[in-house]
Amino acid sequence: MTTLTATAVAHPNIALAKYWGKRVGPGNYPAVPSLSVTLDGMASRTTLRFDERLREDRFVLGNELVQGRPLDRITSLVDEVRAAAEITARVSVVSANDFPTASGLASSASGFAALALAAVSAAGLAWSSEQISNLARRGSASAGRSIFGGYVRLPAGPIGTDGSIPLAAQPVAPADALPIKVVVCVTHAGPKSVSSTDGMLRTMEKSPYYERWLSYACENEAELYQALLQGNLRSVGALAEASALAMHASALACGVSYFNGATLELWKEVRLLREAGLAVWGTVDAGPHMKVLVRTDQETIVVPRLRAVAGVVRVIVTTPGGQPTVKRVEEST
Ligand code: PMV
């Protein structure tokens, strides 16, 4: 018997212009466009095997067997691949992240990107990157962006469809478009308290600022894209920080709060560094960690200052890049 196996390595991406909010209805479409940078220096590695001996899909994450909602999300993604490739076998998925999982460090982005790449490759489908991005995006919208390295844009989804219209991310600038490092400041070891999906749904239902966020996010993303094409680091940094603050303001207005004490200290430190003339900007996703954009030549001044902030437990210095890889193996058993 032949088993079809593939291993993919994908990298997290950090949204400079944030996605927050979904289109109402099926398909997991974002309500706003987003623009991100994929990061070398952190990775999810996923091996997927179609195995006729298995009676159910099986998912091991970081040596632990996972069931319930995370397993259901994997099954839905793999079901699309099974349907396209006419495969009925169940899968074994073994995944590991070399950074904290489900804590707001974009493990769902790199995880679903690696899963989509591994599933399509193991099934032997000759899909384009756009098709794979669309598949990953249905699992977790930010994952659609991790199918590409460098700077990547994901448009807002269509309004009012049955969920079948494809929506893929597009690479828009190479990794060296701006001279930056992204310093990930980890402020907490465990998982986050509110998932990004739950946080978004609550913001959509309850935040008095959600409508304003929708219009602001579109303007911010368009301006950030132009600044990126012009290589204007100061504008990109300022717009990225503004996007994060506006996203969190809309969430906070209905009680969805991701910051901890160390996140607030980091905001203060970033402001102080900037007042001292350094090219430094912060951004925060659905978790308490801060990612700091810093001009490459100022890394050695800025990193020790961030490491010294009270409550920072680990600092990971990453570089824009992160093109994913995938390798398929056919094993006879
Ligand atoms: O793709 P999700 O469902 O994990 O949501 C990601 C949400 C943010 O990380 C806060 C923003 C973004 O664009 O990545």
Side-chain angles (χ1 to χ4, degrees), residues 19 31 71 111 120 129 217 266 286 299:
Y19 143 60
L71 177 62
V120 168
S129 299
L266 280 160
E299 176 193 338

Side-chain angles (χ1 to χ4, degrees), residues 140-156:
S140 170
S142 56
R145 302 187 307 238
S146 276
I147 298 299
F148 304 99
Y151 293 83
V152 181
R153 223 175 169 192
L154 177 65

Side-chain angles (χ1 to χ4, degrees), residues 161-209:
T161 85
D162 62 1
S164 61
I165 295 180
L167 181 77
Q170 303 140 9
V172 291
D176 62 0
L178 296 171
I180 56 162
K181 297 274 180 167
V182 179
V183 185
V184 178
C185 302
V186 181
T187 64
H188 175 70
K192 61 193 172 196
S193 49
V194 187
S195 74
S196 47
T197 297
D198 292 348
M200 276 182 217
L201 294 179
R202 194 177 159 89
T203 307
M204 290 163 65
E205 273 169 34
K206 307 254 189 239
S207 175
Y209 300 148

Side-chain angles (χ1 to χ4, degrees), residues 71-84:
L71 177 62
D72 294 343
R73 288 175 74 185
I74 285 185
T75 294
S76 329
L77 187 150
V78 179
D79 276 348
E80 297 195 35
V81 174
R82 278 191 277 250

